[in-house]
Every structure is written in structure tokens, then in C-alpha cells.
Amino acid sequence: MDIVVLVKVVPNIERVRFDMEKGTVDRSSAESEINPFDLNALEAALQIKEKFGGKITALSMGPQSAEGVYRDVFARGAERAVLLSDRRFAGADTLATSCTLSEAIRKLEHFDLVLCGEKTTDGDTGQVGNEVAEFLGIPSLYYVSMLGIDNGNIYATVELDGEKLVYKVDTPALLSVTKDANVPRLPTLREKLEARKKSVEIWDAEKLGGNTERFGAKGSPTRVAKTVVPKEEGRKGSIYRDVKEGIDALLSVLEA
Amino acid sequence: MSVLVFAEMKGKEIHPVAFELLGKGEEISKELSIKLEAVVFGGDESTAQELIDYGAENVYLYEGEQESCKECLSSLATEIKPEIMLFGATKFGRALAPRIAASLNAGLTADCIDLRVEEKEFIQIRPAFTGNILAHIKTRSTPKLTTVRYRVMKPAEKRKREGRIIKKESSVDIKKSFPLVKREKIESIDIQNADIIVSGGRGLNSKEDFKMLEKLASLLGGVVGSSRPLVDDGWISKDHQVGFSGNTVKPRLYIAIGISGSSQHLAGMRNSEMIIAVNSDPSAPIFRYADYGIVGDLYEVVPKLIEGLEQKVS
């Protein structure tokens, strides 16, 4: 079972500072990391590989400066890592990103499954997985909260509107897993050391056939026209520092 | 040319986010002088009439399963060429819209909280970076696809209206879906439709203390919510999560217990009608958004509140 895992390197969103005037993120203010949701996709890939054998290829798009952090995928079980990096890929929205990623997947010799996380912490759209599936013309399942393997079959559970739906997954397919799907294991020191010996393949626009109209800002139908810092409206409420007084006030409000 | 609303079905009912999309869609379509239409899969003529009563001029009514609506929706869009397509940012809508967008090579904007027209241009507003920033997004493709958060926009007004129901044949590409091997009901709460929510945050010392909040919630006739960290730690299931990455809620009463009020949490509840906060830290941001607040130990305040309410009941 050959698996492609989509991975993104993102700033640590809990720590990153915002330039409120420019409405941008000061990426130097926090370390980069692998998008936490993608670790669940990597773990799922690893579990499937353990049962079926095969090869895990991590695929990412981003600046070459992301390579250092991205190498972590080797320690987490990927045999191969491809980083799509080219100035012509820059400024891509989800459609251009998905188009670029799917072109790269077509360039791989073979794949059975594409796995991805539910969303990224920085973009927070959750759109790329299914756009990639559509470009590849393969079926997909989103919000997979459990993956089971039984009798050589893969079963994916999706919870939707108070129902639990279990599907048998036929390949090729794309699955997007949630944080509930598994607990990503931590790489051992040895795995980390081994990972240092491996290298990330860098692919540019030429490698992907050079149809640059579809990539980056040029291939992106959406753009951010401006960013606004929301006004702190707040409410001028009654805040009680005396607990008894506060309780009395609340009780009379709650009664109403 | 139209604003086309995808009306999601939830069982035999229309998901209420569709009425909110029609409300906003009416505004947008008037400003752009184009029609407002809706498309629905499953349901019958009364479903279609309901969408008309909420403002749709034309309703495309497909028989058959909503699960396999992707091909039909793409070909409908190719046929009628809508200018804008609106989807609810539900799990279903969020998974469906990207497939439609890619099949049409169209731009898609996720999780919008407001839509407007400025100088004849369609503007989509969405929170970025956990709600710290609002991004205004323009799309140059036709159609322009948007998913919209549930419970942030006003639903359209329902009244007797005239409109056209256009019945369509479903063509299902079975190859493109997986065999369903099991289907069962699960326990989950519908926090987005709750009237009263009592939420707990990091101020709670242990998982068991949610029982105390449950008691308070049940006395008030409400449900229990949670901030993200406790869901991440597995103290309570994700259907209880309120916040930017959880559920947006707008109840009549929101009680935040031991929640400091990160922007991530505020983004999901700041529009509640009344907000009450209990926190030991007087500088907690939640107090700036509260109508009433008590600075104090939640383990003192909550039991006293419960006691007070019980006395009133008896």
C-alpha cells in the first residue's frame, strides 16, 4: 500500500505574534512546526503501512527554508519526502495549492492512498484535501475519526449529525483524518538520528510540467483584498468582586 | 446569473443554516441585481416551497440521496452558471464545496462570517489566525464559492411567497463513493441549537468537575459546553466544544466558568445574547465581554449558585 501524506510546515499558532497594523503574521516570532493535524495523518499512514507494507511519501509545498522542519517526517516513518518549492508556487490559494499538489502526486510512480489532516492551523480552511481528490478524480472521505484494518480491508468511520457511518475504503482514495483518529507516536532518538541522513527532494515548476498559469498567485482565483483587526467591542457589564453580592445579582437575573 | 444556495438536508428537514444563507443571499442578490435560487437533494415539493417562502425565486429539486449530489451539483452549476454559490460551513458543506470548486476550477472561501457587496464586488469576510484578524476576500472566478458559518447570520423572513420549482433527474456516479458497511445512531448534543450553555474551561481541576456544570446546566434547562483545551485533553467530547475551531454558538444565555476568554474561544460565543463569567482572575479577557461577572473561585461560586437556584425551584 503506497501512501502519500500531505504535510504543511506552519508557524506555531499558539505562540506566533500578529502585526495588528499590517494584519500579517510575524513568522519570525515563533518557531515553525509540522501542522499538528498532519501528524495524525502520518500516524494513520504508519499504522496502515505496518499491516500492508508499502511506502510512505510525504508531500509538501513551501519555501526551502521549511526543509529543516519538514525533515521530521523521516523520523515519523516516511521513506521519501518531496517539497514543492518554487517562487512560481508562491501566493497560492487552496485551488492553486491543490492543483500543484495533485500534479506532483501524478508524477509519483504509484500511490494507493492519499492521507491528510483535517485542516492546517494557519490557513484553517480544510479545503485542500478534497480539492486534491477532485483534481485526481478519486473518491474521498472527510472527518475520518477512526481507521480500522480487518481482513486486509481498511474501514473508515465518519461521525455526522448524530450518526456513525463506517465505510469500506477501496483504493485509490483520499482520506482526511481528525485528531480523534489516533495518537501520533513520538519519534525515538535513533529515528531522529537516522532521519538526518536522508534528504528531501525539491521539485520546481518545471518538474511539474511547467504549466505555471495554474500555480501560485496566477492560478489563484481568490485573494485577500485587505485584512482588518476586529474592533474590541466588548460589553460594559457588571463585574462583582464580592462573591455573595455577585451570586445575589446572578440569581435575580437568572430568575427573570 | 444568480446567487445559488445549497440547501443541506438533515434527515427530512432543511438544515437551518440554509435559511441564513437565503437571508444573506437575498441581500447580495438584490445589490447585484441577480436572482436568488436554491438547490436541494432529497425532500419533496413542500421542502422546495419552504425554500421559496424563505426567499428563493427558483428551487432545483433533485430526488435521491444527498450523499451523492456532487456530480449533479457540478453539472447544474455548468448549466445555470450561478455567479455565487453559498454552502453552510457544516461538516457536510465543508467537505462538499471543495469538490465542486475544484471541478469548476472556481475560487472557494472557507468559513465566512459576513458577506457584502462593495462597489459591485462580492466581498467575503472570514476570520484568520484564530480570529485575531478578519480577512476580506475577493474572488475573480465565476462562480464564486463560499462556505458560511452556521449561526452568525440572520435567517431570511419566512412568509408566503411565489416561486418556481424545477425538478431535476439525479445521475449518480456510484463508482465515486465507498460501500457503507455500518450505520448507527450515536449520542451527541446539538450545542448550536441550545438556548442556554454552561461552559467549563481550564479553571476546572478535573474531568469529574464537569458534573457540577451539568447540574447547573440542568437546573437552567441548558447543556454543557467546553473550551478547546479540555476537549484536546479528552475530558469531554468535541460536540461540546465552543470556539473558533469548534462550534459557533449564539444562545440566549452563555455562562463561562473558569474560562479566561482566549480569542479562539471568544470567536465562538461573543454574540450570545447574555454572557455571564466566573473566573478567579479579574484581568481575564472574558470579563470584558460579559454582561455579568463574578471574580472568585468557581468552586465557591458554582455550588452557591446551584444552591440558590435549587431553593428558588423548591
Side-chain angles (χ1 to χ4, degrees), chain A residues 81-94:
Chain A
V82 175
L83 176 65
L84 311 177
S85 201
D86 190 313
R87 276 170 57 192
R88 287 166 289 186
F89 297 154
D93 70 358
T94 60

Side-chain angles (χ1 to χ4, degrees), chain B residues 38-91:
Chain B
V39 54
V40 65
F41 291 81
D44 51 23
E45 289 200 18
S46 68
T47 316
Q49 186 58 46
E50 195 174 0
L51 292 167
I52 289 169
D53 291 342
Y54 275 100
E57 292 163 66
N58 297 323
V59 176
Y60 299 91
L61 173 65
Y62 286 81
E63 292 166 0
E65 288 282 298
Q66 178 170 263
E67 279 76 30
S68 44
C69 68
K70 184 175 77 68
E71 309 295 320
C72 296
L73 199 51
S74 292
S75 55
L76 178 69
T78 311
E79 181 195 330
I80 68 167
K81 298 190 170 48
E83 178 65 24
I84 293 164
M85 291 175 83
L86 304 181
F87 299 79
T90 58
K91 269 189 178 178

Side-chain angles (χ1 to χ4, degrees), chain A residues 11 13-14 16 18-20 23-25 27 37 93-95 118-119 121-128 130-135 137-143 155 158-175 179-180 213-214 217-247 249-256, chain B residues 8-10 15 67 70 74 90-92 94-103 105-111 118 121 123-124 126 128-141 147 175-188 216 220 228 232 238 244-245 252-253 255 269-276 278 282 287-297 300-302 304-305 308-309 312:
Chain A
I13 206 76
E14 306 277 337
V16 78
F18 302 92
D19 184 330
M20 290 300 184
T24 55
V25 171
R27 286 187 191 265
F37 291 93
D93 70 358
T94 60
L95 192 81
E118 178 183 337
K119 58 184 175 182
T121 51
D122 62 345
D124 203 51
T125 69
Q127 292 176 173
V128 166
N130 260 351
E131 290 187 336
V132 167
E134 185 65 24
F135 280 126
I138 60 174
S140 59
L141 283 174
Y142 241 67
Y143 304 111
Y155 295 94
V158 179
E159 285 172 22
L160 194 68
D161 292 333
E163 274 192 314
K164 191 189 245 181
L165 306 165
V166 184
Y167 297 91
K168 178 174 163 289
V169 177
D170 299 325
T171 57
L174 178 139
L175 304 177
K179 280 193 162 266
D180 299 323
E213 296 297 310
R214 303 291 312 272
K218 263 192 191 171
S220 299
T222 68
R223 68 181 176 87
V224 178
K226 66 171 173 181
T227 53
V228 182
V229 177
K231 276 208 190 77
E232 281 258 349
E233 280 172 23
R235 305 179 184 191
K236 302 264 176 295
S238 322
I239 310 299
Y240 298 89
R241 283 176 182 252
D242 181 289
V243 171
K244 188 176 175 318
E245 203 187 321
I247 300 237
L250 286 196
L251 286 173
S252 61
V253 170
L254 292 177
E255 206 182 354
Chain B
E8 183 181 334
M9 292 296 282
K10 210 175 158 186
H15 191 298
E67 279 76 30
K70 184 175 77 68
S74 292
T90 58
K91 269 189 178 178
F92 188 82
R94 280 165 179 250
L96 173 65
R99 296 215 68 132
I100 307 296
S103 77
N105 264 313
L108 169 62
T109 304
D111 226 7
E118 282 172 11
E121 271 199 286
I123 312 279
Q124 302 149 95
R126 74 178 296 256
F129 301 108
T130 38
N132 284 295
I133 293 170
L134 292 177
H136 289 224
I137 305 209
K138 289 185 184 176
T139 305
R140 58 164 198 245
S141 64
T147 64
K175 277 180 298 181
K176 297 219 167 168
S177 59
F178 303 105
L180 182 65
V181 294
K182 203 161 114 191
R183 178 171 207 159
E184 58 187 51
K185 286 251 174 279
I186 46 167
E187 285 276 319
S188 68
L216 179 57
L220 294 165
R228 190 182 66 181
D232 284 352
K238 191 159 176 155
F244 182 73
S245 51
R252 198 160 53 76
L253 172 63
I255 307 185
M269 47 62 74
R270 72 201 310 168
N271 294 324
S272 305
E273 269 176 51
M274 182 190 285
I275 298 172
I276 293 176
V278 178
F287 285 124
R288 293 206 298 274
Y289 297 85
D291 299 286
Y292 297 92
I294 299 181
V295 180
D297 178 7
E300 182 191 350
V301 175
V302 177
K304 281 189 177 155
L305 262 181
L309 286 167
K312 288 214 168 22

